[in-house]
Amino acid sequence: MLRMLTKIKRMYKKKIGIYQVEVEKEPSQKVESALEAIRDSKDLDLLCFPEMWLTGFMVDDGSINIAQEFLRMALEASTNLKTTIILGTLPERNGENIYNTAFVLKEGKVIGKRRKYFLFEPMGEKKFYSTGNLPEALTVDDNLSVGVIICYELRFPELTKLLAIKGCSIIFCPAQWPKEREEHWRTLLRARAIESQIFMVGVNVVGKNKKFAFNGYSAIIDPYGNVILEISKTSGLYKATIDLKEVEAYRSDVPTIRDSQREGMNLWKVF
């Protein structure tokens, strides 16, 4: 009985890693430290990187080749790991199209891929990147489904709500969110967690590029809106443990997701 209770407890307890990256470092330096972080994730259930952290938003052949080579090395580094790794996003070429793509790895395989759907026009994304796909729930182990939204998509609450309805308990948001809108970032992460009754994991970059400064504030927020972990301007790998029972408890006390599944579907038809 004790063994069974211990096993059940482990099923609900999940250890999450956030890898906050300094944007101005050279790609070769980023690759080396990122692979070290992957190898150091043996004690983690899930690990997430930021958006376009390796090459920035460049879409030239050199950047895409760097991204492809890093993906190959990351797959190799994860071969013997049980950790689910969300590689943030990388530029991905498919035929004539280039996508802002989040790759999800486990045990040396790509188990999921998410191409950004809502592109941020003020930064010129629509000029260079093709529209991707809407997010879907991804089952990463027997009792856990997760979702991925990408940066600007944090501003679309319908995405996180639909992922919650589809069974997600954790939603990851890799991003390059600038300092000038950091309070929006912090507020929206908490809002998405509360309204969708899920754990939100926001993973941002730090440092400066040619146009913007980034203060990080990567964070893990519980379904009640409490901050479990928040990182300011420092780069590196940070870890925290969550309890998925909090999702069940909150949804039992305040049945927003249940009501969205039942009565709320008429509202979705309007859209």
Side-chain angles (χ1 to χ4, degrees), residues 14-20 44-51 84-89 102 114 140 144-154 160 163 168-177 185-194 196-205 216-231 236-244 247:
K14 301 295 179 184
K15 195 168 184 180
I16 296 178
I18 287 174
Y19 187 66
Q20 192 162 265
L44 297 175
D45 294 290
L46 302 115
L47 168 65
C48 188
F49 288 72
E51 179 189 31
T84 299
I85 301 167
I86 299 98
L87 277 186
T89 71
R114 168 79 218 290
V140 297
L144 178 61
S145 292
V146 304
V148 178
I149 61 173
I150 302 168
C151 198
Y152 179 50
E153 295 178 332
L154 183 63
T160 51
L163 284 169
C168 291
S169 298
I170 309 171
I171 295 176
F172 292 88
C173 182
Q176 279 207 31
W177 201 283
W185 165 255
R186 300 171 78 186
T187 301
L188 290 170
L189 284 174
R190 294 185 68 227
R192 298 295 86 88
I194 295 167
S196 297
Q197 300 180 306
I198 43 82
F199 284 93
M200 277 298 309
V201 182
V203 188
N204 197 16
V205 296
Y217 282 109
S218 297
I220 300 174
I221 314 294
D222 76 11
Y224 298 93
N226 300 312
V227 178
I228 295 174
L229 172 68
E230 186 177 67
I231 310 152
L237 176 61
Y238 298 85
K239 305 174 182 181
T241 299
I242 66 169
D243 189 344
L244 296 178
V247 175

Side-chain angles (χ1 to χ4, degrees), residues 1-10:
M1 179 62 73
L2 182 59
R3 286 184 179 180
M4 184 179 294
L5 290 173
T6 302
K7 184 177 180 181
I8 291 171
K9 184 178 180 180
R10 286 175 179 171

Side-chain angles (χ1 to χ4, degrees), residues 34-68:
L35 292 174
E36 183 179 342
I38 290 173
R39 289 189 287 265
D40 193 33
S41 69
K42 293 178 181 179
D43 63 329
L44 297 175
D45 294 290
L46 302 115
L47 168 65
C48 188
F49 288 72
E51 179 189 31
M52 290 296 186
W53 58 273
L54 181 57
T55 62
F57 288 85
M58 299 293 291
V59 293
D60 57 275
D61 289 340
S63 296
I64 292 171
N65 290 338
I66 289 171
Q68 287 179 334

Side-chain angles (χ1 to χ4, degrees), residues 68 109 123 141 148 225-226 232 271:
Q68 287 179 334
K109 297 178 181 179
M123 285 186 66
D141 63 35
V148 178
N226 300 312
S232 184
F271 297 99

